[in-house]
């Protein structure tokens, strides 16, 4: 009996079909999310920064880097762009004038519900053809995969482009 996870006949991705399926899923999901974000005049990733500031306003760039999971240069560019569009302000920290603290503006605060609605729509479209049980399994499986991959990354100094390290002896 053929493996139900095997790629269709003629598919060139016989090796790594799980990874290729994840790649296709991530690409389609990001594309649809980007389209939804454009309606809100946001770039991908800006909604995550806003969500973290909605949860706790007044975070430093380093806190946002740790919470969102991007590098400092990517965060700096995003924060500058968001400041230019009036979503947040950046002020020197009282404890250290070299550190800037990011605060939502009224415009940034007003994005709370539109971003929540965007995530609900993205979830609805993503899981439209799944049963409740399949949705639960998808979330559990995704977390398991993320944990597996993250356990193989170096514990410090990880950059998005760094290859995973080999397992230890």
């Amino acid at each position: 009996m053929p493996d139900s996870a095997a790629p269709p006949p003629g598919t060139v991705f016989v090796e790594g079909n799980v990874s290729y399926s994840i790649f296709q899923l991530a690409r389609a999901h990001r594309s649809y999310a980007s389209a939804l974000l454009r309606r809100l005049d946001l770039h991908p990733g800006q909604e995550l920064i806003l969500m973290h500031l909605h949860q706790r306003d007044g975070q430093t760039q380093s806190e946002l880097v740790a919470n969102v999971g991007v590098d400092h240069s990517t965060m700096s560019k995003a924060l500058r762009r968001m400041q230019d569009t009036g979503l947040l302000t950046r002020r020197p920290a009282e404890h250290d004038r070299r550190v800037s603290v990011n605060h939502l503006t009224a415009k940034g605060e007003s994005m709370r519900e539109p971003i929540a609605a965007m995530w609900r729509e993205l979830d609805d479209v993503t899981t439209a053809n799944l049963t409740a049980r399949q949705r639960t399994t998808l979330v559990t499986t995704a977390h398991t995969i993320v944990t597996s991959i993250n356990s193989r990354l170096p514990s410090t100094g990880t950059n998005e482009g760094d290859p995973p390290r080999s397992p230890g002896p």
Side-chain angles (χ1 to χ4, degrees):
M1 181 169 207
D3 181 2
S4 63
T11 300
V12 296
F13 293 98
V14 175
E15 301 300 325
N17 62 28
V18 170
S19 293
Y20 187 67
S21 295
I22 292 170
F23 166 79
Q24 288 179 302
L25 170 64
R27 189 171 168 184
H29 192 265
R30 181 176 173 91
S31 178
Y32 193 75
S34 294
L36 295 176
L37 288 167
R38 277 193 297 276
R39 292 186 205 165
L40 301 176
D41 290 325
L42 294 175
H43 294 277
Q46 289 181 337
E47 82 284 9
L48 299 175
I49 296 167
L50 288 170
M51 290 166 66
H52 281 283
L53 290 171
H54 288 146
Q55 185 176 15
R56 185 175 61 81
D57 198 18
Q59 294 185 53
T60 66
Q61 180 173 320
S62 292
E63 290 171 319
L64 289 168
V65 163
N67 290 331
V68 176
V70 297
D71 62 44
H72 277 277
S73 63
T74 300
M75 182 60 70
S76 182
K77 181 179 177 181
L79 292 172
R80 188 171 42 257
R81 184 180 277 175
M82 293 170 75
Q83 183 178 16
D84 291 346
T85 59
L87 294 167
L88 57 84
T89 61
R90 300 167 85 185
R91 295 182 228 137
E94 290 182 20
H95 70 283
D96 184 345
R97 306 296 283 172
R98 296 170 295 174
V99 175
S100 64
V101 180
N102 301 282
H103 294 276
L104 291 168
T105 62
K107 180 179 178 182
E109 181 58 45
S110 74
M111 297 300 292
R112 183 184 301 261
E113 180 48 37
I115 289 171
M118 174 253 160
W119 279 98
R120 285 190 300 269
E121 180 177 348
L122 186 57
D123 265 13
D124 290 347
V125 168
T126 301
T127 62
N129 297 322
L130 301 179
T131 65
R133 184 177 182 150
Q134 287 173 319
R135 288 182 190 119
T136 300
T137 301
L138 173 62
V139 171
T140 302
T141 303
H143 285 295
T144 302
I145 292 168
V146 168
T147 299
S148 176
I149 291 170
N150 285 342
S151 72
R152 300 290 297 251
L153 294 173
S155 58
T156 59
T158 303
N159 290 321
E160 264 182 41
D162 290 347
R165 67 173 182 196
S166 298

